Amino acid sequence: MISTRLTSRFGLSVPIVLAPMDKFADARLATAVTRAGGLGVLGAGYGDADWLDAQFTIAEPVRVGVGFIAWKLAERPELLDLVLARDPAALVLSFGDPTPFADRIHAAKVPLFNQVNDLDEARRAIDIGAEVLVAQGGEAGGHGKGVRSTFTLVPEVADLVAERAPETLVLAAGGVADGRGLAAALSLGADGAVVGSRLWAAQESPVVAAARDRALAARSDDTVRSSVYDIVRGHAWPPGYSGRALRNDFVRRWYDNEDALRANLTDAQGDYRAALAAADFNTADVHIGEGIGIIHDNPTAAAVLARMEREAAAVLDRLAEAARQGRS
Ligand SMILES: Cc1cc2nc3c(=O)[nH]c(=O)nc-3n(C[C@H](O)[C@H](O)[C@H](O)COP(=O)(O)O)c2cc1C
């Protein structure tokens, strides 16, 4: 078993947290991750009170966390009270200013995780007393700023935390899709990893089979960050954010051509909605990270966690042995 500050503080047996993937991280997937020894988190995404209520009811008695998109939560702050009343295991805030929500989360004694994209956001997270900083690199699936890579952001955030708030934990997010990635995250100074894409492809995930099969056949090079799906879905993301998704006919047509997309929005929205209904992922979106290039199968969440833990332990043992031999 790999023991870290994350596993001891949250009573886990694997240093893995499920990424709060909008609606994909539902009660079934989140409870599977918690039962397997990780920390399951519901992806509240753009905010839907009925969905959240239903997920908590399905999840009971298993305790799970909840992740919100902060700029969206600012439009419906009452959702935070709804969630805090359910005594979540953690509250993850990503993408936007977490400051207005921090006091309520601390008062409820719920651990606050803040997903950050750069050092300024990391400093702000420390200032508001976040217990856990999630350093997200641009490799990640779904949204983010995409301005930093996991490989350099994690050690910088770890150094900052060591200097300014040594009790605070650091997690790596973005591209951690097997045990090598988990071992790398720990080597870079993280206490664990937030895993999205790998668990998106797990058996318990609600992803449509056609989307999953397309993703499993894809390589990292088939993913790209863009705003085309935000435009067509009418999600008004603040400047600086983009979403990583599979390149398909829709992305190829509108990528770097967003003004034309806006000019043809009604038609494009019609095409997008029809494609979603028909599970046609040449047009509909498959948000996924660069890690997809090393994701080839569809095991249970428990098998994913066990495999990642086993592989990471083997990597770390090998490195320790190599260092011992080097010294002798
Ligand atoms: C399909 C998908 C949807 C996502 N939706 C959200 C979201 O709603 N809120 C959020 O904070 N992060 C979201 N993310 C990003 C994750 O929190 C996390 O940073 C990312 O999955 C980590 O990288 P990985 O996909 O390489 O594991 C999403 C990621 C994916 C793949």
Side-chain angles (χ1 to χ4, degrees):
M1 180 176 143
I2 299 175
S3 169
T4 71
R5 298 192 305 169
L6 176 76
T7 58
S8 47
R9 206 175 291 177
F10 288 85
L12 313 180
S13 54
V14 192
I16 289 178
V17 175
L18 172 64
M21 297 177 285
D22 176 36
K23 300 254 167 108
F24 291 106
D26 64 3
R28 185 158 176 249
L29 183 57
T31 54
V33 169
T34 296
R35 284 201 175 98
L39 178 59
V41 176
L42 299 172
Y46 297 94
D48 175 340
D50 293 340
W51 184 85
L52 270 168
D53 243 354
Q55 301 311 307
F56 270 110
T57 304
I58 296 166
E60 269 162 14
V62 178
R63 256 183 108 209
V64 292
V66 177
F68 281 109
I69 293 172
W71 68 264
K72 202 65 198 172
L73 183 60
E75 294 172 7
R76 296 199 55 199
E78 73 280 3
L79 290 179
L80 183 58
D81 297 322
L82 184 153
V83 162
L84 291 177
R86 295 288 204 149
D87 191 26
L91 207 303
V92 187
L93 295 177
S94 312
F95 318 139
D97 189 359
T99 314
F101 313 109
D103 284 349
R104 275 148 76 198
I105 297 168
H106 293 319
K109 301 203 179 334
V110 173
L112 168 58
F113 290 40
N114 186 199
Q115 184 152 231
V116 301
N117 286 140
D118 58 36
L119 280 189
D120 285 340
E121 291 183 359
R123 283 189 201 94
R124 181 176 65 190
I126 292 171
D127 289 344
I128 62 161
E131 278 88 350
V132 181
L133 268 61
V134 181
Q136 189 210 41
E139 299 93 319
H143 284 81
K145 287 189 174 163
V147 287
R148 295 293 309 272
S149 68
T150 308
F151 205 83
T152 56
L153 184 60
V154 170
E156 250 183 303
V157 171
D159 286 349
L160 179 75
V161 160
E163 189 190 316
R164 292 197 34 197
E167 293 305 307
T168 304
L169 307 189
V170 177
L171 304 180
V176 180
D178 66 11
R180 293 171 296 183
L182 178 58
L186 300 176
S187 303
L188 292 171
D191 300 288
V194 167
V195 174
S197 298
R198 175 60 278 193
L199 287 163
W200 174 96
Q203 258 175 43
E204 296 87 346
S205 162
V207 63
V208 175
R212 188 192 58 225
D213 293 347
R214 201 180 173 96
L216 291 182
R219 301 165 310 166
S220 305
D221 313 74
D222 298 323
T223 74
V224 66
R225 304 192 72 91
S226 84
S227 296
V228 299
Y229 284 116
D230 298 332
I231 296 169
V232 80
R233 293 184 300 180
H235 291 161
W237 277 80
Y241 288 97
S242 56
R244 185 177 288 284
L246 284 187
R247 218 187 293 266
N248 57 12
D249 288 348
F250 188 84
V251 173
R252 272 186 283 273
R253 175 159 183 212
W254 300 115
Y255 180 78
D256 224 7
N257 203 11
E258 286 78 3
D259 287 344
L261 173 57
R262 286 189 189 92
N264 290 280
L265 197 53
T266 309
D267 285 350
Q269 284 177 331
D271 293 346
Y272 174 76
R273 286 191 199 114
L276 259 191
D280 166 12
F281 294 97
N282 255 323
T283 295
D285 60 303
V286 181
H287 279 91
I288 201 75
E290 285 185 0
I292 197 62
I294 53 169
I295 298 171
H296 306 298
D297 56 6
N298 173 230
T300 62
V304 168
L305 264 57
R307 189 159 77 193
M308 286 180 75
E309 209 262 348
R310 196 172 56 242
E311 286 174 0
V315 170
L316 296 170
D317 282 349
R318 219 165 40 238
L319 293 177
E321 180 56 24
R324 255 193 308 277
Q325 287 190 2
R327 276 194 298 270
S328 64

